Amino acid sequence: MAQGLYDKATELGEQNVRMLKKEIIEDHEYKAKAMLSLAHAYAACGDWEQAWKNANNSAGMYKRLYTTPGPLYAIALSDAAYYNARRANYSYAKNDAVKALELYSEQNDKNVTAESKILSNLAYTHFLLGEYTQTKDLTNKAVSMLDAAGAKQSAEYASALSLLAAATSRTQSDQNDAIAFATTALGIQNKVLPPVNFDKAVTMARLSLAHMRKTDTSKAIESGTKVWQYGIRYTSCR
């Protein structure tokens, strides 16, 4: 049933993009925004190929629309980089993620939530390359930024904390910090995200791995089992 809801969301998103492309021939912000929204819908069910394709097309359109690359281009490029990393295209993903952060940092009117997500997206490319120190530095910065802005109950805060848990679990023999980070992240996600969601499954998988490294088999199995109760195509929950 959950997969059916996500399939319906992507179907409606595809219809919206097709309609806009038919009605508006030239590049337009509405089309770029619709493609990025569609990318998010595909990402919610773990379809990274379609998520990357639509986010990348959105970024390209935003780039063409403005003489000087603006925040919308940086945000779309960052999301495309994250999805590309999920496709295991690491070098291109990291280059785009670095570029997105550099571009967004140059903006005068920055949004804390958007900037923290861009930091986390770059952190994830470092994480996949085994660069855990950089991962922790970037996620700590994102977490601190959101904390200072009073956004500790946001999906972005939980996502950054979840990734921090994953990197911490791989760099500390004592798993207590990693378990605490993942548990807090999951608690927030249970409040602010839909019942079935890829990011929640990722956090549960990370929590399970931390318990496993701590040799707490029963808790590892408990968290791990919940991941696969989801009716979504979860091909990778790293």
PDB file of all heavy atoms in Angstrom, residues 69-93:
ATOM      1  N   PRO A  69      24.481  32.418 -11.399  1.00  0.00           N
ATOM      2  CA  PRO A  69      23.882  31.284 -10.683  1.00  0.00           C
ATOM      3  C   PRO A  69      23.381  31.719  -9.305  1.00  0.00           C
ATOM      4  O   PRO A  69      24.125  32.325  -8.523  1.00  0.00           O
ATOM      5  CB  PRO A  69      25.041  30.293 -10.556  1.00  0.00           C
ATOM      6  CG  PRO A  69      25.956  30.632 -11.679  1.00  0.00           C
ATOM      7  CD  PRO A  69      25.855  32.122 -11.826  1.00  0.00           C
ATOM      8  N   GLY A  70      22.128  31.433  -9.019  1.00  0.00           N
ATOM      9  CA  GLY A  70      21.531  31.857  -7.764  1.00  0.00           C
ATOM     10  C   GLY A  70      21.295  30.703  -6.808  1.00  0.00           C
ATOM     11  O   GLY A  70      21.715  29.565  -7.053  1.00  0.00           O
ATOM     12  N   PRO A  71      20.590  30.970  -5.711  1.00  0.00           N
ATOM     13  CA  PRO A  71      20.361  29.947  -4.684  1.00  0.00           C
ATOM     14  C   PRO A  71      19.539  28.758  -5.169  1.00  0.00           C
ATOM     15  O   PRO A  71      19.786  27.628  -4.741  1.00  0.00           O
ATOM     16  CB  PRO A  71      19.638  30.714  -3.577  1.00  0.00           C
ATOM     17  CG  PRO A  71      19.055  31.916  -4.247  1.00  0.00           C
ATOM     18  CD  PRO A  71      20.015  32.273  -5.323  1.00  0.00           C
ATOM     19  N   LEU A  72      18.584  28.992  -6.053  1.00  0.00           N
ATOM     20  CA  LEU A  72      17.748  27.881  -6.534  1.00  0.00           C
ATOM     21  C   LEU A  72      18.581  26.889  -7.342  1.00  0.00           C
ATOM     22  O   LEU A  72      18.368  25.676  -7.252  1.00  0.00           O
ATOM     23  CB  LEU A  72      16.590  28.426  -7.378  1.00  0.00           C
ATOM     24  CG  LEU A  72      15.576  29.291  -6.625  1.00  0.00           C
ATOM     25  CD1 LEU A  72      14.519  29.847  -7.578  1.00  0.00           C
ATOM     26  CD2 LEU A  72      14.907  28.486  -5.509  1.00  0.00           C
ATOM     27  N   TYR A  73      19.506  27.410  -8.127  1.00  0.00           N
ATOM     28  CA  TYR A  73      20.411  26.529  -8.869  1.00  0.00           C
ATOM     29  C   TYR A  73      21.286  25.733  -7.910  1.00  0.00           C
ATOM     30  O   TYR A  73      21.471  24.520  -8.074  1.00  0.00           O
ATOM     31  CB  TYR A  73      21.283  27.355  -9.820  1.00  0.00           C
ATOM     32  CG  TYR A  73      22.437  26.582 -10.421  1.00  0.00           C
ATOM     33  CD1 TYR A  73      22.204  25.450 -11.196  1.00  0.00           C
ATOM     34  CD2 TYR A  73      23.753  26.990 -10.213  1.00  0.00           C
ATOM     35  CE1 TYR A  73      23.257  24.734 -11.753  1.00  0.00           C
ATOM     36  CE2 TYR A  73      24.810  26.285 -10.769  1.00  0.00           C
ATOM     37  CZ  TYR A  73      24.558  25.160 -11.528  1.00  0.00           C
ATOM     38  OH  TYR A  73      25.600  24.441 -12.068  1.00  0.00           O
ATOM     39  N   ALA A  74      21.823  26.386  -6.887  1.00  0.00           N
ATOM     40  CA  ALA A  74      22.684  25.706  -5.916  1.00  0.00           C
ATOM     41  C   ALA A  74      21.931  24.601  -5.180  1.00  0.00           C
ATOM     42  O   ALA A  74      22.460  23.501  -4.979  1.00  0.00           O
ATOM     43  CB  ALA A  74      23.241  26.719  -4.916  1.00  0.00           C
ATOM     44  N   ILE A  75      20.680  24.876  -4.813  1.00  0.00           N
ATOM     45  CA  ILE A  75      19.871  23.888  -4.096  1.00  0.00           C
ATOM     46  C   ILE A  75      19.588  22.681  -4.987  1.00  0.00           C
ATOM     47  O   ILE A  75      19.721  21.527  -4.564  1.00  0.00           O
ATOM     48  CB  ILE A  75      18.557  24.533  -3.609  1.00  0.00           C
ATOM     49  CG1 ILE A  75      18.850  25.533  -2.478  1.00  0.00           C
ATOM     50  CG2 ILE A  75      17.570  23.470  -3.133  1.00  0.00           C
ATOM     51  CD1 ILE A  75      17.678  26.427  -2.125  1.00  0.00           C
ATOM     52  N   ALA A  76      19.188  22.934  -6.230  1.00  0.00           N
ATOM     53  CA  ALA A  76      18.891  21.834  -7.160  1.00  0.00           C
ATOM     54  C   ALA A  76      20.149  21.030  -7.470  1.00  0.00           C
ATOM     55  O   ALA A  76      20.112  19.798  -7.538  1.00  0.00           O
ATOM     56  CB  ALA A  76      18.277  22.385  -8.446  1.00  0.00           C
ATOM     57  N   LEU A  77      21.275  21.722  -7.658  1.00  0.00           N
ATOM     58  CA  LEU A  77      22.537  21.047  -7.951  1.00  0.00           C
ATOM     59  C   LEU A  77      22.961  20.166  -6.766  1.00  0.00           C
ATOM     60  O   LEU A  77      23.455  19.054  -6.957  1.00  0.00           O
ATOM     61  CB  LEU A  77      23.622  22.074  -8.256  1.00  0.00           C
ATOM     62  CG  LEU A  77      24.998  21.509  -8.645  1.00  0.00           C
ATOM     63  CD1 LEU A  77      24.912  20.735  -9.952  1.00  0.00           C
ATOM     64  CD2 LEU A  77      26.018  22.655  -8.762  1.00  0.00           C
ATOM     65  N   SER A  78      22.760  20.667  -5.564  1.00  0.00           N
ATOM     66  CA  SER A  78      23.100  19.899  -4.362  1.00  0.00           C
ATOM     67  C   SER A  78      22.262  18.633  -4.257  1.00  0.00           C
ATOM     68  O   SER A  78      22.779  17.549  -3.961  1.00  0.00           O
ATOM     69  CB  SER A  78      22.900  20.764  -3.116  1.00  0.00           C
ATOM     70  OG  SER A  78      23.114  20.013  -1.936  1.00  0.00           O
ATOM     71  N   ASP A  79      20.956  18.752  -4.509  1.00  0.00           N
ATOM     72  CA  ASP A  79      20.089  17.567  -4.477  1.00  0.00           C
ATOM     73  C   ASP A  79      20.492  16.573  -5.560  1.00  0.00           C
ATOM     74  O   ASP A  79      20.532  15.354  -5.319  1.00  0.00           O
ATOM     75  CB  ASP A  79      18.623  17.976  -4.653  1.00  0.00           C
ATOM     76  CG  ASP A  79      18.029  18.583  -3.388  1.00  0.00           C
ATOM     77  OD1 ASP A  79      18.682  18.505  -2.326  1.00  0.00           O
ATOM     78  OD2 ASP A  79      16.918  19.143  -3.467  1.00  0.00           O
ATOM     79  N   ALA A  80      20.810  17.080  -6.748  1.00  0.00           N
ATOM     80  CA  ALA A  80      21.252  16.200  -7.833  1.00  0.00           C
ATOM     81  C   ALA A  80      22.538  15.474  -7.444  1.00  0.00           C
ATOM     82  O   ALA A  80      22.711  14.286  -7.742  1.00  0.00           O
ATOM     83  CB  ALA A  80      21.465  17.005  -9.117  1.00  0.00           C
ATOM     84  N   ALA A  81      23.432  16.178  -6.768  1.00  0.00           N
ATOM     85  CA  ALA A  81      24.690  15.561  -6.328  1.00  0.00           C
ATOM     86  C   ALA A  81      24.426  14.438  -5.339  1.00  0.00           C
ATOM     87  O   ALA A  81      25.036  13.362  -5.422  1.00  0.00           O
ATOM     88  CB  ALA A  81      25.592  16.620  -5.694  1.00  0.00           C
ATOM     89  N   TYR A  82      23.524  14.670  -4.396  1.00  0.00           N
ATOM     90  CA  TYR A  82      23.182  13.642  -3.414  1.00  0.00           C
ATOM     91  C   TYR A  82      22.598  12.404  -4.102  1.00  0.00           C
ATOM     92  O   TYR A  82      22.980  11.268  -3.811  1.00  0.00           O
ATOM     93  CB  TYR A  82      22.190  14.204  -2.401  1.00  0.00           C
ATOM     94  CG  TYR A  82      21.643  13.166  -1.453  1.00  0.00           C
ATOM     95  CD1 TYR A  82      22.413  12.658  -0.409  1.00  0.00           C
ATOM     96  CD2 TYR A  82      20.343  12.681  -1.606  1.00  0.00           C
ATOM     97  CE1 TYR A  82      21.912  11.694   0.457  1.00  0.00           C
ATOM     98  CE2 TYR A  82      19.828  11.723  -0.742  1.00  0.00           C
ATOM     99  CZ  TYR A  82      20.620  11.241   0.283  1.00  0.00           C
ATOM    100  OH  TYR A  82      20.110  10.276   1.127  1.00  0.00           O
ATOM    101  N   TYR A  83      21.679  12.624  -5.030  1.00  0.00           N
ATOM    102  CA  TYR A  83      21.072  11.492  -5.738  1.00  0.00           C
ATOM    103  C   TYR A  83      22.101  10.776  -6.604  1.00  0.00           C
ATOM    104  O   TYR A  83      22.055   9.554  -6.744  1.00  0.00           O
ATOM    105  CB  TYR A  83      19.898  11.976  -6.596  1.00  0.00           C
ATOM    106  CG  TYR A  83      18.819  12.695  -5.828  1.00  0.00           C
ATOM    107  CD1 TYR A  83      18.089  13.736  -6.409  1.00  0.00           C
ATOM    108  CD2 TYR A  83      18.530  12.349  -4.511  1.00  0.00           C
ATOM    109  CE1 TYR A  83      17.103  14.396  -5.704  1.00  0.00           C
ATOM    110  CE2 TYR A  83      17.543  13.019  -3.798  1.00  0.00           C
ATOM    111  CZ  TYR A  83      16.829  14.044  -4.404  1.00  0.00           C
ATOM    112  OH  TYR A  83      15.862  14.707  -3.697  1.00  0.00           O
ATOM    113  N   ASN A  84      23.030  11.531  -7.172  1.00  0.00           N
ATOM    114  CA  ASN A  84      24.088  10.926  -7.977  1.00  0.00           C
ATOM    115  C   ASN A  84      25.000  10.065  -7.101  1.00  0.00           C
ATOM    116  O   ASN A  84      25.479   9.009  -7.534  1.00  0.00           O
ATOM    117  CB  ASN A  84      24.898  12.019  -8.680  1.00  0.00           C
ATOM    118  CG  ASN A  84      25.430  11.575 -10.026  1.00  0.00           C
ATOM    119  OD1 ASN A  84      25.091  10.500 -10.522  1.00  0.00           O
ATOM    120  ND2 ASN A  84      26.268  12.393 -10.625  1.00  0.00           N
ATOM    121  N   ALA A  85      25.244  10.517  -5.887  1.00  0.00           N
ATOM    122  CA  ALA A  85      26.036   9.714  -4.950  1.00  0.00           C
ATOM    123  C   ALA A  85      25.317   8.407  -4.639  1.00  0.00           C
ATOM    124  O   ALA A  85      25.946   7.341  -4.531  1.00  0.00           O
ATOM    125  CB  ALA A  85      26.277  10.495  -3.665  1.00  0.00           C
ATOM    126  N   ARG A  86      24.006   8.477  -4.508  1.00  0.00           N
ATOM    127  CA  ARG A  86      23.209   7.263  -4.278  1.00  0.00           C
ATOM    128  C   ARG A  86      23.275   6.319  -5.479  1.00  0.00           C
ATOM    129  O   ARG A  86      23.073   5.110  -5.331  1.00  0.00           O
ATOM    130  CB  ARG A  86      21.757   7.635  -3.994  1.00  0.00           C
ATOM    131  CG  ARG A  86      21.519   8.229  -2.610  1.00  0.00           C
ATOM    132  CD  ARG A  86      21.396   7.148  -1.600  1.00  0.00           C
ATOM    133  NE  ARG A  86      21.164   7.638  -0.249  1.00  0.00           N
ATOM    134  CZ  ARG A  86      21.218   6.861   0.824  1.00  0.00           C
ATOM    135  NH1 ARG A  86      21.512   5.585   0.696  1.00  0.00           N
ATOM    136  NH2 ARG A  86      21.005   7.347   2.016  1.00  0.00           N
ATOM    137  N   ARG A  87      23.575   6.867  -6.652  1.00  0.00           N
ATOM    138  CA  ARG A  87      23.747   6.060  -7.866  1.00  0.00           C
ATOM    139  C   ARG A  87      25.174   5.527  -7.972  1.00  0.00           C
ATOM    140  O   ARG A  87      25.525   4.891  -8.954  1.00  0.00           O
ATOM    141  CB  ARG A  87      23.444   6.898  -9.108  1.00  0.00           C
ATOM    142  CG  ARG A  87      22.029   7.373  -9.243  1.00  0.00           C
ATOM    143  CD  ARG A  87      21.878   8.396 -10.368  1.00  0.00           C
ATOM    144  NE  ARG A  87      22.090   7.813 -11.689  1.00  0.00           N
ATOM    145  CZ  ARG A  87      22.999   8.238 -12.549  1.00  0.00           C
ATOM    146  NH1 ARG A  87      23.831   9.222 -12.239  1.00  0.00           N
ATOM    147  NH2 ARG A  87      23.114   7.658 -13.734  1.00  0.00           N
ATOM    148  N   ALA A  88      26.001   5.818  -6.973  1.00  0.00           N
ATOM    149  CA  ALA A  88      27.400   5.373  -6.912  1.00  0.00           C
ATOM    150  C   ALA A  88      28.282   6.088  -7.919  1.00  0.00           C
ATOM    151  O   ALA A  88      29.336   5.582  -8.299  1.00  0.00           O
ATOM    152  CB  ALA A  88      27.506   3.853  -7.084  1.00  0.00           C
ATOM    153  N   ASN A  89      27.865   7.292  -8.351  1.00  0.00           N
ATOM    154  CA  ASN A  89      28.687   8.101  -9.245  1.00  0.00           C
ATOM    155  C   ASN A  89      29.426   9.119  -8.382  1.00  0.00           C
ATOM    156  O   ASN A  89      29.155  10.320  -8.405  1.00  0.00           O
ATOM    157  CB  ASN A  89      27.797   8.805 -10.280  1.00  0.00           C
ATOM    158  CG  ASN A  89      28.583   9.274 -11.487  1.00  0.00           C
ATOM    159  OD1 ASN A  89      29.808   9.325 -11.458  1.00  0.00           O
ATOM    160  ND2 ASN A  89      27.880   9.625 -12.547  1.00  0.00           N
ATOM    161  N   TYR A  90      30.375   8.620  -7.607  1.00  0.00           N
ATOM    162  CA  TYR A  90      30.933   9.382  -6.497  1.00  0.00           C
ATOM    163  C   TYR A  90      31.709  10.631  -6.901  1.00  0.00           C
ATOM    164  O   TYR A  90      31.545  11.693  -6.293  1.00  0.00           O
ATOM    165  CB  TYR A  90      31.829   8.484  -5.629  1.00  0.00           C
ATOM    166  CG  TYR A  90      31.139   7.254  -5.126  1.00  0.00           C
ATOM    167  CD1 TYR A  90      31.738   5.997  -5.209  1.00  0.00           C
ATOM    168  CD2 TYR A  90      29.865   7.335  -4.567  1.00  0.00           C
ATOM    169  CE1 TYR A  90      31.094   4.858  -4.746  1.00  0.00           C
ATOM    170  CE2 TYR A  90      29.206   6.204  -4.095  1.00  0.00           C
ATOM    171  CZ  TYR A  90      29.831   4.964  -4.190  1.00  0.00           C
ATOM    172  OH  TYR A  90      29.197   3.852  -3.734  1.00  0.00           O
ATOM    173  N   SER A  91      32.586  10.536  -7.889  1.00  0.00           N
ATOM    174  CA  SER A  91      33.446  11.676  -8.222  1.00  0.00           C
ATOM    175  C   SER A  91      32.628  12.852  -8.742  1.00  0.00           C
ATOM    176  O   SER A  91      32.837  14.001  -8.321  1.00  0.00           O
ATOM    177  CB  SER A  91      34.504  11.260  -9.251  1.00  0.00           C
ATOM    178  OG  SER A  91      33.896  10.775 -10.438  1.00  0.00           O
ATOM    179  N   TYR A  92      31.680  12.592  -9.657  1.00  0.00           N
ATOM    180  CA  TYR A  92      30.833  13.663 -10.165  1.00  0.00           C
ATOM    181  C   TYR A  92      29.953  14.229  -9.058  1.00  0.00           C
ATOM    182  O   TYR A  92      29.727  15.437  -8.970  1.00  0.00           O
ATOM    183  CB  TYR A  92      29.953  13.164 -11.312  1.00  0.00           C
ATOM    184  CG  TYR A  92      30.680  13.041 -12.629  1.00  0.00           C
ATOM    185  CD1 TYR A  92      31.063  11.795 -13.114  1.00  0.00           C
ATOM    186  CD2 TYR A  92      30.989  14.164 -13.392  1.00  0.00           C
ATOM    187  CE1 TYR A  92      31.744  11.675 -14.322  1.00  0.00           C
ATOM    188  CE2 TYR A  92      31.653  14.065 -14.603  1.00  0.00           C
ATOM    189  CZ  TYR A  92      32.031  12.807 -15.068  1.00  0.00           C
ATOM    190  OH  TYR A  92      32.698  12.692 -16.261  1.00  0.00           O
ATOM    191  N   ALA A  93      29.445  13.341  -8.204  1.00  0.00           N
ATOM    192  CA  ALA A  93      28.587  13.776  -7.105  1.00  0.00           C
ATOM    193  C   ALA A  93      29.329  14.718  -6.169  1.00  0.00           C
ATOM    194  O   ALA A  93      28.815  15.773  -5.787  1.00  0.00           O
ATOM    195  CB  ALA A  93      28.078  12.553  -6.339  1.00  0.00           C
TER     196      ALA A  93
END
